[in-house]
Amino acid sequence: MSIRKSLKKVLPPISITEQEALDAGDVWIESSIYQGNPDMHALRQLPQAKLSAEEQAFMDGPVQTLLEMINDFELINSNHIPKDVLDFLGKEKFFSMIIPKKFGGLEFSPYANSTIVATIAARSGAVAVTVMVPNSLGPGELLMHYGTEDQQNFWLPKLAVGQEIPCFALTSPEAGSDAGAIPDAAIVTKGQWNGEEVIGLSVTWDKRYITLAPIATVLGLAFKVFDPEHLLGDKLELGITCALLPKSHPGVELGNRHDPMGVKFYNGTTRGKDVFIPMDFIIGGQKNIGKGWQMLVSCLGAGRGISLPAMGVATAQSAFKSTAEYAFVREQFGLPIGRFEGIQEKLADIAGKTFLLEAMRVLTTEGLGQGIKPSVVTAIAKYHMTEIGRDVCNSAMDVQAGKAIQRGPQNTLANGYSALPIAITVEGANILTRNLMIFGQGAMRCHPYLKDMVDLIHSDDSNADAQFNKVLTKTVKFSVKNALRSMVNSYLPFLRSSDSAMNEVLPYEKRLHAMSAKLAPLADLSLLVLGGDLKKAELLSARLGDVISYVYAGMAAIRFYEQRVEDRQQALPFFKYAMEWTLSQAEKAIVDFVSNFPNAPTRVLMRVLTNTYTGATSKISDDLVRELSKAALEDSSIKAQITHLIKPVEGDGNYINEQAFKAKHAALPLLSKVQKALRSAPVVPFISFENAVEKLNERGELADNEKDILLDYNEKRKLAVRVDEFTFDMELVTDHLDTQEETVNAA
């Protein structure tokens, strides 16, 4: 018996839905990571994404107006997004960023889409979700790629101007992560449509977690089609199919809502029982019956890399900006709390990861902007960028402490803290994404021969054995090459390659190459020894996926640092922290993978090939933590660059924090002067800072203009460190808000 036939008996067959998921999307730069040699040349040659003049005008106009319209605290405490906001979104085409201009849409780039969604998310998660859903996986994108000409001409212009509000229903109570197992069914039958008897579908469905469903006017629906009377052919089960149903269609039920963590975007249910629809309702028409799953997984590749990662980045940027400013302004024991090492550890982590997230956002959308849909990269972006965003937000909550947990208009963290679990849950729960998707798809799509081998193993072609042997020979050569490259990079670090022209980048690029080189033989050996069982070994496959992910993140950080930062000297500690963290995480994943590999002889071989004999990994030094935390407190260009998504609106929490932060930087020389004067001749009793400044002014030690600068700073400081107050019945106390507004206006 041939090797191929022996493997065919052992390896489980790949289901149709699995095959379609594996075939979906494109392969991009991640393939070079998997194959052990990150393509840094391609990375550096990728065109930079920038906002076009039209996109920038949209940011400066409609987006800024929208931010000023939103009161997120009021929204969180109400039941509905205000009608004027929803009307504005439709009128200004926020729902049509991906719809081509010929249908009345904006046709913005993925980078612009991400920037707009993230900017809105920094202001309001509810409004951001409302905007992102029509611009991600949904009726609009499905129509663009698969709709008939008549469907496109009818629906897309209406969707472009908000005349129709779309939702897409896939998830059901019985099918969540296993979306291919949806029980919702359609029976091919005959029925009445427009006064005639036609062949159509009788559809029954029960869906939940459907964003925009309560306000949608057109429902995208996924279901399985069955043809028991064989009206369309010999097959009984025809497969997953997607259709568009107007809300007004008889039998369509929309309107009931869920309450996702109190974030007031519209999310709810849709149901229908024996609803007859004509074949014209199927996206792409009758010929697309059974192609729904392929359509869905193909379209998901792009949207997954934009919307939810944008929420993670927005949360991190908001957390970094407010925490750095608070840690500089808030003083205890006579020092800004940002000078205490316990706070510095958290602050450095926030700053370094925010830099990394912005780098990943930019690189991912730059790739999407080339027209590719890299399913592995977008899965990496969705999982890691939402998880890192959550880490950053949690650290910010720790630093801001009491200020962070008191809800109110001035709180800049609470609503993002509530909304992040939503990003982690939807469009493929993060546990599923990390444990099954990243390496699972990566192995099949990025390995140069694996997919061909699997296809040939299950092939019934008479020439399959000969073809398989040829591919097997190539695979063995590839694996041997991987093993040799790993050993060279592991034992001879001076031979590691790097193409960077910057000395500070060289060691990190070399370490990235070493991580990738080690990954390749680990993946090869795992597939050889475990075969189909690797699919079940989620703990192992997740760690291999982590290595791919962290190398990708490191590549993003290098590209961002080399090509985008405005002041590299200021940005250097941010870059160093981002690289040290990603590399240490990749090293940990490799150590944990090798240590837990179930086959002992293979585990020994893995240790030899990768020089992994201990559990030791690199750590971020205390000196780097101190350096970065100090840099984070500066009013620098790099801080502005990696918090650019935050657009303070006069009087809101971000505005109040920023004003105090800048005022303190302006007053720093005078504050030193005050401290020196008080040490030589104390003001007794020290009633308040204001009193001390007045006394020093009276003594002639401070000029009148210096007194004014110090008193202005102190008022802004007091506003920044206070929190919102409510009456006994939890009505917002507004008198101090009025005082804040007067102070801000006077400044």
Side-chain angles (χ1 to χ4, degrees):
M1 182 181 293
S2 67
I3 297 175
R4 185 188 72 85
K5 290 177 181 176
S6 299
L7 290 171
K8 188 173 184 178
K9 289 185 175 182
V10 176
L11 291 178
I14 297 176
S15 69
I16 294 175
T17 54
E18 284 180 314
Q19 188 65 55
E20 289 178 342
L22 289 171
D23 292 340
D26 303 309
V27 177
W28 186 43
I29 205 164
E30 73 279 14
S31 64
S32 68
I33 300 172
Y34 182 92
Q35 294 176 28
N37 190 22
D39 192 344
M40 302 300 291
H41 177 74
L43 178 80
R44 293 185 169 104
Q45 293 302 308
L46 183 68
Q48 285 192 39
K50 295 181 180 179
L51 295 179
S52 67
E54 184 181 4
E55 291 164 348
Q56 186 62 58
F58 190 81
M59 284 290 299
D60 296 338
V63 172
Q64 186 59 39
T65 301
L66 176 65
L67 299 181
E68 293 168 2
M69 293 172 69
I70 298 169
N71 184 323
D72 201 42
F73 181 71
E74 287 186 2
L75 178 53
I76 287 290
N77 289 284
S78 62
N79 294 324
H80 297 282
I81 295 174
K83 186 177 184 303
D84 65 325
V85 172
L86 287 174
D87 290 344
F88 183 81
L89 294 176
K91 173 175 172 282
E92 297 296 336
K93 300 187 179 182
F94 279 85
F95 297 143
S96 62
M97 288 189 286
I98 65 170
I99 294 177
K101 290 181 178 179
K102 68 179 181 179
F103 296 113
L106 295 173
E107 201 173 342
F108 281 172
S109 66
Y111 176 73
N113 185 346
S114 168
T115 302
I116 292 165
V117 167
T119 301
I120 300 170
R123 183 74 175 166
S124 169
V127 179
V129 171
T130 303
V131 170
M132 72 174 60
V133 168
N135 292 294
S136 185
L137 175 63
E141 186 166 12
L142 291 169
L143 284 168
M144 285 160 49
H145 294 288
Y146 301 104
T148 65
E149 186 175 348
D150 287 344
Q151 288 172 337
Q152 292 175 343
N153 290 332
F154 180 81
W155 286 113
L156 290 176
K158 297 174 187 290
L159 293 171
V161 296
Q163 183 179 341
E164 300 284 356
I165 303 296
C167 69
F168 191 85
L170 175 62
T171 305
S172 77
E174 305 301 329
S177 296
D178 186 11
I182 53 174
D184 312 284
I187 307 299
V188 180
T189 185
K190 293 181 180 179
Q192 293 293 316
W193 181 249
N194 291 337
E196 298 180 9
E197 184 179 69
V198 298
I199 294 178
L201 303 172
S202 177
V203 192
T204 297
W205 71 91
D206 180 10
K207 305 285 192 179
R208 66 179 181 182
Y209 306 155
I210 312 305
T211 300
L212 297 190
I215 61 169
T217 60
V218 56
L219 168 66
L221 190 65
F223 47 79
K224 288 182 176 177
V225 176
F226 299 88
D227 187 10
E229 299 180 30
H230 301 293
L231 297 176
L232 300 180
D234 297 332
K235 293 179 66 176
L236 170 63
E237 184 172 349
L238 303 183
I240 295 173
T241 301
C242 297
L244 282 183
L245 289 69
K247 179 183 179 181
S248 58
H249 190 73
V252 174
E253 298 179 29
L254 286 167
N256 288 349
R257 294 177 67 178
H258 301 305
D259 182 5
M261 296 295 290
V263 181
K264 294 305 191 300
F265 64 93
Y266 292 99
N267 184 271
T269 64
T270 176
R271 299 180 178 91
K273 184 172 176 59
D274 299 327
V275 177
F276 181 79
I277 65 171
M279 291 296 182
D280 287 346
F281 280 19
I282 297 171
I283 297 176
Q286 182 177 323
K287 65 179 174 57
N288 275 358
I289 289 178
K291 297 181 180 178
W293 185 244
Q294 179 186 355
M295 292 159 58
L296 290 171
V297 294
S298 295
C299 289
L300 186 61
R304 185 191 279 132
I306 295 175
S307 299
L308 297 172
M311 286 191 71
V313 178
T315 301
Q317 291 199 13
S318 181
F320 173 44
K321 179 176 171 62
S322 63
T323 304
E325 290 168 355
Y326 182 74
F328 184 60
V329 171
R330 175 69 167 167
E331 295 187 359
Q332 295 287 275
F333 309 105
L335 288 173
I337 63 171
R339 300 297 186 204
F340 293 96
E341 290 192 348
I343 300 293
Q344 287 180 332
E345 183 177 27
K346 294 285 187 181
L347 186 56
D349 198 54
I350 292 168
K353 288 177 178 176
T354 301
F355 178 95
L356 182 66
L357 283 171
E358 177 66 2
M360 292 178 71
R361 183 187 78 86
V362 171
L363 177 58
T364 304
T365 54
E366 284 175 331
L368 294 171
Q370 298 306 299
I372 59 175
K373 296 181 178 180
S375 55
V376 175
V377 161
T378 53
I380 289 170
K382 193 273 176 179
Y383 171 75
H384 286 279
M385 293 173 72
T386 54
E387 289 290 349
I388 295 172
R390 176 160 63 174
D391 288 346
V392 170
C393 188
N394 285 341
S395 293
M397 294 288 290
D398 289 349
V399 174
Q400 296 192 37
K403 182 177 174 63
I405 64 170
Q406 303 300 338
R407 294 180 64 243
Q410 199 171 324
N411 191 314
T412 60
L413 294 178
N415 294 342
Y417 182 80
S418 299
L420 258 184
I422 299 167
I424 280 160
T425 300
V426 299
E427 283 194 12
N430 274 9
I431 291 175
L432 167 78
T433 304
R434 175 176 180 256
N435 288 272
L436 290 177
M437 292 180 62
I438 296 175
F439 180 75
Q441 282 189 306
M444 291 296 289
R445 299 304 305 278
C446 299
H447 194 289
Y449 309 114
L450 182 60
K451 187 176 184 299
D452 290 341
M453 286 184 66
V454 172
D455 290 343
L456 287 167
I457 286 170
H458 296 291
S459 173
D460 294 322
D461 192 304
S462 59
N463 196 36
D465 280 347
Q467 291 178 316
F468 176 82
N469 290 337
K470 289 180 181 178
V471 174
L472 179 61
T473 301
K474 292 179 182 178
T475 303
V476 170
K477 291 180 180 178
F478 174 73
S479 297
V480 171
K481 183 179 179 181
N482 286 341
L484 292 174
R485 183 191 296 114
S486 177
M487 293 186 72
V488 169
N489 276 272
S490 298
Y491 295 97
L492 303 171
F494 56 88
L495 294 180
R496 294 172 183 171
S497 61
S498 175
D499 300 325
S500 179
M502 300 179 189
N503 291 332
E504 65 269 33
V505 175
L506 289 173
Y508 294 119
E509 186 174 335
K510 290 179 178 180
R511 288 173 64 188
L512 278 183
H513 276 281
M515 290 298 106
S516 178
K518 292 179 181 182
L519 166 69
L522 295 180
D524 291 345
L525 287 169
S526 301
L527 292 165
L528 176 65
V529 174
L530 299 180
D533 289 337
L534 184 57
K535 179 178 170 182
K536 304 172 188 175
E538 296 177 21
L539 294 174
L540 292 177
S541 63
R543 290 169 183 137
L544 292 178
D546 285 346
V547 180
I548 298 174
S549 301
Y550 289 121
V551 173
Y552 174 76
M555 292 172 74
I558 287 175
R559 175 175 166 84
F560 190 83
Y561 178 77
E562 287 184 341
Q563 299 187 6
R564 286 197 175 253
V565 297
E566 297 166 6
D567 186 325
R568 291 198 187 96
Q569 186 174 355
Q570 289 181 353
L572 184 57
F574 292 81
F575 168 70
K576 288 165 62 177
Y577 191 100
M579 293 304 302
E580 292 287 356
W581 185 79
T582 54
L583 287 163
S584 68
Q585 294 300 304
E587 289 172 8
K588 183 178 184 303
I590 288 175
V591 166
D592 291 346
F593 176 86
V594 173
S595 299
N596 288 280
F597 197 80
N599 184 287
T602 306
R603 188 165 62 244
V604 172
L605 179 58
M606 288 177 172
R607 292 191 187 282
V608 172
L609 292 178
T610 62
N611 193 12
T612 307
Y613 300 103
T614 72
T617 60
S618 61
K619 306 292 182 185
I620 296 171
S621 70
D622 290 351
D623 287 341
L624 180 55
V625 167
R626 296 186 191 100
E627 182 185 8
L628 178 53
S629 62
K630 182 179 179 181
L633 299 181
E634 297 296 325
D635 189 12
S636 62
S637 64
I638 184 61
K639 176 179 173 291
Q641 189 175 2
I642 62 173
T643 60
H644 71 105
L645 298 171
I646 314 305
K647 309 293 185 184
V649 174
E650 187 170 330
D652 72 3
N654 281 312
Y655 185 83
I656 290 169
N657 291 341
E658 183 178 89
Q659 291 297 304
F661 179 75
K662 289 184 176 297
K664 185 171 184 180
H665 271 288
L668 273 179
L670 296 177
L671 290 170
S672 298
K673 184 176 181 179
V674 168
Q675 290 176 346
K676 184 177 180 180
L678 291 176
R679 281 196 297 269
S680 60
V683 173
V684 181
F686 190 96
I687 301 171
S688 64
F689 178 81
E690 297 95 319
N691 178 63
V693 168
E694 292 285 358
K695 294 294 185 185
L696 291 174
N697 176 245
E698 291 172 6
R699 290 179 353 200
E701 296 185 59
L702 286 175
D704 289 345
N705 68 314
E706 293 176 328
K707 181 191 78 169
D708 292 341
I709 291 172
L710 288 166
L711 293 179
D712 172 66
Y713 152 67
N714 195 51
E715 288 302 311
K716 291 175 177 175
R717 177 194 63 80
K718 289 193 293 185
L719 293 180
V721 300
R722 71 168 299 141
V723 298
D724 294 290
E725 298 175 19
F726 299 82
T727 67
F728 181 76
D729 294 317
M730 294 306 293
E731 295 177 351
L732 181 66
V733 175
T734 59
D735 59 344
H736 73 275
L737 295 178
D738 295 336
T739 303
Q740 289 176 7
E741 187 175 354
E742 290 172 6
T743 303
V744 167
N745 290 337

